[in-house]
Amino acid sequence: MAEFRLPAHSRYTEQPGQHHPAPAGATRVREFRIYRWNPDSGAKPRIDRYELDLDQCGPMVLDALLKIKNEIDPTLTFRRSCREGICGSCAMNIDGANTLACTCAISGIHGAVRIFPLPHLPVIKDLVPDLSHFYAQYAAVEPWLKTRTPPPPDRERLQAPEDQERVDRPSACILCACCSTSCPSYWWNSDRYLGPAALLAAWRWIVDTRDEAQGERLDALEDPFRLYRCHTIMNCTEACPKDLNPARAIADIKRRLSARGH
């Protein structure tokens, strides 16, 4: 399969594509400009324009995409599942920002709604990026409980409420990749830099009081690229649709490594 990689910046030279006008009698028309690319066609990427009557459409960008696919153009390809901001499937670049289509309100966007796949990832088709490398990086931090001592014979491993609260928020990460694909350092060094999502997952287990491999986890991250390519740009925290703070987690990992060296 051919590969096309969307430029890292949020603006893309729009090659004109197909235009689907609003139906006759539409009273509240909004234009959606959607990135299209089919590797099997051999054609260059283009921008197709779809005009919808918002009085006949749900309030979210995902509602518009579903209406387009179901009623106008069944060839449009994108991921979606829960429609509740839980699964992360519908992550894409909307109006220049990485977000979830199911929680992005059309009313919050002025003018034409521009929709692209997450930036600087190989594109499989239309709005579907290839997340294979992203998931491999997540797996590389070994995001599971690692212990040496056997569990209690009569109960699960207990944890104080305040300790559980520390891991509660980072455990809410839905692996949508909005944070990592908004990070310039990740654009430039994604082959070696783990990125905000994977490092947030690593931190979640480093601070888990039930885990007994903190030293090993820190050793694995003490690398000029895996961790230290983070330059605290803060795009990751700004982009997170779950209001998590990967930048703070990364800073705490750096602090722990620095303290261990003294």
Side-chain angles (χ1 to χ4, degrees):
M1 182 184 72
E3 176 183 300
F4 181 78
R5 187 180 291 265
L6 192 70
H9 48 76
S10 61
R11 301 185 66 85
Y12 175 74
T13 302
E14 298 188 0
Q15 301 294 328
Q18 299 177 12
H19 178 216
H20 303 267
T27 57
R28 196 156 64 97
V29 177
R30 179 67 69 88
E31 182 180 77
F32 292 78
R33 299 181 182 178
I34 302 178
Y35 174 88
R36 304 298 307 276
W37 182 64
N38 183 353
D40 297 329
S41 70
K44 293 182 178 180
R46 67 179 193 272
I47 302 296
D48 283 356
R49 298 161 56 206
Y50 303 86
E51 294 180 355
L52 299 184
D53 183 353
L54 295 188
D55 288 334
Q56 304 298 321
C57 180
M60 301 299 177
V61 171
L62 182 58
D63 293 317
L65 290 171
L66 289 170
K67 185 175 182 65
I68 291 169
K69 184 173 182 65
N70 293 338
E71 301 178 16
I72 302 173
D73 185 354
T75 68
L76 178 62
T77 304
F78 55 91
R79 292 190 180 108
R80 81 283 183 272
S81 183
C82 73
R83 301 182 71 173
E84 297 291 340
I86 296 172
C87 72
S89 299
C90 65
M92 53 191 72
N93 186 280
I94 302 173
D95 199 34
N98 293 351
T99 188
L100 302 179
C102 66
T103 61
C104 181
I106 300 171
S107 61
I109 301 172
H110 300 289
V113 181
R114 292 175 168 83
I115 307 175
F116 294 84
L118 292 174
H120 213 66
L121 290 175
V123 177
I124 296 175
K125 184 182 179 184
D126 293 344
L127 301 176
V128 178
D130 187 347
L131 295 173
S132 301
H133 183 60
F134 172 80
Y135 290 137
Q137 290 174 314
Y138 172 69
V141 303
E142 301 183 339
W144 53 80
L145 186 69
K146 299 171 71 174
T147 61
R148 299 179 184 85
T149 58
D154 56 346
R155 65 179 188 273
E156 63 185 23
R157 297 180 190 272
L158 300 181
Q159 187 175 45
E162 57 270 23
D163 292 332
Q164 196 282 325
E165 288 176 4
R166 291 198 75 187
V167 302
D168 181 62
R169 290 297 293 145
S171 296
C173 173
I174 57 177
L175 294 177
C176 63
C178 283
C179 64
S180 291
T181 56
S182 70
C183 172
S185 293
Y186 191 76
W187 299 341
W188 303 326
N189 303 286
S190 59
D191 57 332
R192 297 174 65 184
Y193 173 48
L194 289 176
L199 289 172
L200 177 66
W203 182 81
R204 176 255 180 272
W205 291 103
I206 287 171
V207 300
D208 194 319
T209 55
R210 298 165 297 180
D211 193 88
E212 298 173 354
Q214 184 186 95
E216 297 172 16
R217 295 185 187 278
L218 290 173
D219 286 342
L221 295 177
E222 194 164 14
D223 177 89
F225 277 87
R226 287 170 64 87
L227 171 68
Y228 288 103
R229 286 302 94 183
C230 172
H231 297 301
T232 323
I233 299 170
M234 302 298 289
N235 281 10
C236 57
T237 299
E238 181 69 22
C240 180
K242 305 299 287 186
D243 295 322
L244 306 181
N245 197 332
R248 179 183 296 170
I250 295 171
D252 187 64
I253 295 174
K254 292 178 180 178
R255 180 190 62 79
R256 290 169 183 268
L257 284 170
S258 176
R260 194 175 64 161
H262 293 288

